[in-house]
Amino acid sequence: MHMTLRQLTLFKAVAQHLSFTRAAAELCLTQPAVSIQIKQLEGHMGMPLFEQIGKRIFLTDAGRELYAASDDIFNRIESLQTSLNELQGSIKGQLKLSVVTTATYFIPSIFKSFLKKYPEVNLRLTVRNRTNVLERLTNNEEDLVIMGQVPEQLHVTAQPFLDNPLVVLAPPEHALVKKSKISLERLSKETILLREVGSGTRIAMERCFASHNLELPQIIELGSSEAIKQGVIAGLGISVLSKHAVNLELEKGIIKLLDVEDFPLQRNWYVAHLTEKEMSLVARTFLEFLLNHK
């Protein structure tokens, strides 16, 4: 077979999107140019890689085999490049990071400082909820992950690098805004806006209420911190979020902190990796930078 890396790159893009049009757009090519290269690749393989059913395309058995092989090939090339960079002592190459959504309120400024110091690092950032971040960590898809709640069931090495206080929030007109030392029992009479089951903030809230022999009150579940903030502003309920997520709203006065007993809940942001993972020089450099970042 005389397939080229260029052809494999095009094939992988089409296989990921199951669309010639979207693959062409991603690679800044015309659809006919992509189709021609895939036809040539199929000629080298001696069998079709895609089949069309109606308006949709699917991988054939041969296509699925080639897709798995192409993953291996590109991973080996990436590993080779990393090894060559390390032999040269160069801090360059790809850094694969996955962070939970709330971390996006502070992590860009850290990345800016790091990339200013190491401009040849190619950052690939994935933002997901906690469940998806844990899945990517388990599958060894990332160099490092950043989260607020360290998994207990995985063999990981996790180090705290930033305070993560959880605070109780309400709209400015809420009756509890002017109260002090609000009890958790009183809070349990309010509607609380929270993230999905499994999120770090929700786990912390469940543990807090359980420690006082209380159950969580009526909950409205919203899928992001932004949605929760808008819900609080609209008067839909009160909430608990990382203070990092609401600094701007607190400065503007459109959200208020409630003075609740046992709050803020003092937590940390952690950077974690699989304990047995052999980290690249780039990943080790970023980890050291993060732990020493002020």
Side-chain angles (χ1 to χ4, degrees):
M1 291 185 291
H2 302 284
M3 67 181 72
T4 65
L5 287 176
R6 178 62 170 166
Q7 289 171 339
L8 281 180
T9 300
L10 297 177
F11 164 76
K12 190 174 181 182
V14 176
Q16 286 175 331
H17 295 295
L18 291 177
S19 166
F20 284 85
T21 302
R22 290 175 63 187
E26 179 183 289
L27 299 170
C28 300
L29 297 170
T30 64
Q31 183 176 332
V34 174
S35 298
I36 290 171
Q37 290 294 317
I38 296 300
K39 284 293 183 184
Q40 291 178 354
L41 183 57
E42 288 178 328
H44 295 319
M45 296 289 292
M47 59 188 72
L49 301 171
F50 299 95
E51 59 180 340
Q52 184 165 346
I53 301 176
K55 294 183 178 180
R56 299 178 62 189
I57 64 169
F58 300 87
L59 284 167
T60 62
D61 289 341
R64 283 188 286 272
E65 290 291 334
L66 182 59
Y67 185 68
S70 67
D71 258 353
D72 290 339
I73 291 169
F74 287 116
N75 284 338
R76 289 296 299 275
I77 291 174
E78 182 182 316
S79 178
L80 172 62
Q81 185 61 61
T82 299
S83 297
L84 292 175
N85 290 338
E86 293 206 19
L87 288 172
Q88 295 171 347
S90 303
I91 311 300
K92 63 182 180 181
Q94 189 170 70
L95 175 64
K96 295 179 289 186
L97 292 166
S98 187
V99 305
V100 295
T101 51
T102 309
T104 57
Y105 292 103
F106 64 84
I107 205 67
S109 62
I110 295 176
F111 288 155
K112 181 181 178 181
S113 299
F114 179 74
L115 294 175
K116 184 177 181 180
K117 188 173 183 180
Y118 303 105
E120 292 187 279
V121 171
N122 176 27
L123 174 65
R124 194 200 73 184
L125 176 64
T126 302
V127 181
R128 294 285 190 272
N129 63 29
R130 183 174 182 273
T131 300
N132 293 144
V133 168
L134 285 177
E135 182 179 348
R136 297 183 69 84
L137 177 63
T138 303
N139 294 335
N140 195 29
E141 296 181 64
E142 309 292 357
D143 294 315
L144 297 162
V145 302
I146 291 173
M147 58 179 58
Q149 190 78 30
V150 180
E152 298 175 354
Q153 71 276 21
L154 294 179
H155 192 38
V156 301
T157 297
Q159 300 179 71
F161 68 92
L162 184 67
D163 291 339
N164 182 26
L166 298 184
V167 294
V168 186
L169 309 164
E173 67 278 6
H174 197 282
L176 293 178
V177 168
K178 297 181 180 180
K179 303 291 184 182
S180 60
K181 298 188 182 303
I182 303 164
S183 69
L184 207 59
E185 185 175 3
R186 172 63 184 86
L187 206 67
S188 69
K189 294 178 171 57
E190 299 291 325
T191 298
I192 298 186
L193 314 181
L194 284 178
R195 293 285 302 275
E196 70 281 354
V197 173
S199 74
T201 303
R202 184 153 175 171
I203 290 171
M205 279 293 288
E206 289 168 345
R207 290 176 176 174
C208 179
F209 271 73
S211 69
H212 289 77
N213 297 315
L214 293 171
E215 293 185 0
L216 282 177
Q218 179 180 348
I219 290 174
I220 295 178
E221 188 175 297
L222 298 174
S224 70
S225 296
E226 284 300 314
I228 287 175
K229 287 192 291 185
Q230 292 304 315
V232 171
I233 293 170
L236 193 58
I238 64 173
S239 187
V240 174
L241 286 174
S242 168
K243 192 171 183 294
H244 292 286
V246 291
N247 283 327
L248 182 61
E249 289 78 9
L250 291 173
E251 288 178 9
K252 291 182 176 180
I254 56 178
I255 287 179
K256 296 291 185 179
L257 288 181
L258 293 186
D259 181 9
V260 179
E261 293 179 350
D262 298 322
F263 278 83
L265 293 180
Q266 296 300 335
R267 301 170 71 227
N268 291 293
W269 285 106
Y270 292 88
V271 57
H273 60 86
L274 293 175
T275 299
E276 296 180 357
K277 182 178 180 63
E278 185 175 345
M279 290 196 297
S280 67
L281 178 59
V282 171
R284 296 197 304 272
T285 302
F286 179 75
L287 177 59
E288 182 179 354
F289 180 89
L290 193 61
L291 294 177
N292 292 296
H293 183 78
K294 302 297 182 185

